[in-house]
Amino acid sequence: MSEPTERLELQDPRLFTFEARVRDARGGPESAELVLDRSAFYPEGGGQLADQGVLYAQDREIRVLDVQREGPVVVHRTDGLIAPGTAVAGKVDRARRLEHMALHTGQHMLSRAFLDVARAETTSARLGEAAATLDLDRPRIAERLLHEVEDLVNDVVDDDRPVRASYPTPEALEGLRLRRSPKVREGIRV
């Protein structure tokens, strides 16, 4: 399983359907792990939950319950096995993806607002199914500052400011002010 999975969701985060071929499969008929040659499913990472959805193969509908990265490979945990070599059509749960995108962007906005208003650095963030957490490097933030943070984020939303993603070169990355140093050397989305 060392050949990289083509990450379609990184090319277009609003891609919800795609076609692929099963490269590898392990498990049984009711619980399997599938590796596709290409995928639009976002794997869990960076504090964001994985996409879910469906894979269609021949006359079968297999649910994608979880998606994880194993190095350069994307592993789809499913409720059914599909043989290697089989062509599939994938459908990402659109509502879940859009909600996670909004929450992830909101987390970045809150982190920046806490830094600007309260000089509080984000040490970690986790977006979960029922709750989200944002850990800061300060034990307490005054109520007044919390309101200022909220007002600042709401102003950014009301201004409908654009959100852009880019993949800077390693040289360009060194010139950027980042919240923390990247864990990898290439393919870093900013």
Side-chain angles (χ1 to χ4, degrees), residues 16-93:
F16 303 110
T17 60
F18 66 98
E19 294 181 356
R21 191 163 296 280
V22 177
R23 185 181 291 151
D24 191 21
R26 56 189 180 223
E30 296 178 9
S31 177
E33 293 184 344
L34 306 176
V35 174
L36 309 179
D37 60 349
R38 56 201 310 256
S39 178
F41 286 97
Y42 181 85
E44 180 179 9
Q48 186 169 322
L49 294 174
D51 281 336
Q52 294 179 348
V54 179
L55 293 174
Y56 299 96
Q58 297 145 345
D59 61 345
R60 297 174 59 211
E61 181 177 305
I62 305 296
R63 290 185 310 140
V64 175
L65 307 170
D66 187 31
V67 185
Q68 297 292 319
R69 283 182 53 203
E70 291 182 8
V73 173
V74 176
V75 178
H76 304 74
R77 296 190 175 132
T78 65
D79 68 353
L81 191 61
I82 303 172
T86 303
V88 296
K91 183 177 181 185
V92 175
D93 180 331

Side-chain angles (χ1 to χ4, degrees), residues 92-171:
V92 175
D93 180 331
R94 182 180 187 276
R96 180 181 171 95
R97 161 77 65 79
L98 292 175
E99 180 177 356
H100 289 175
M101 287 172 62
L103 289 171
H104 191 176
T105 301
Q107 178 269 304
H108 282 283
M109 293 166 56
L110 275 171
S111 290
R112 180 57 192 240
F114 272 111
L115 185 60
D116 289 351
V117 170
R119 302 290 180 248
E121 291 269 358
T122 297
T123 57
S124 70
R126 173 74 178 149
L127 306 176
E129 294 286 348
T133 61
L134 187 68
D135 297 327
L136 303 171
D137 66 351
R138 293 183 45 192
R140 284 186 57 83
I141 305 290
E143 188 77 23
R144 170 187 62 82
L145 294 177
L146 292 175
H147 290 293
E148 287 182 37
V149 165
E150 181 179 9
D151 290 343
L152 177 56
V153 171
N154 284 332
D155 288 346
V156 170
V157 171
D158 290 343
D159 288 346
D160 198 22
R161 294 191 191 166
V163 175
R164 291 179 294 278
S166 64
Y167 293 87
T169 64
E171 297 78 30

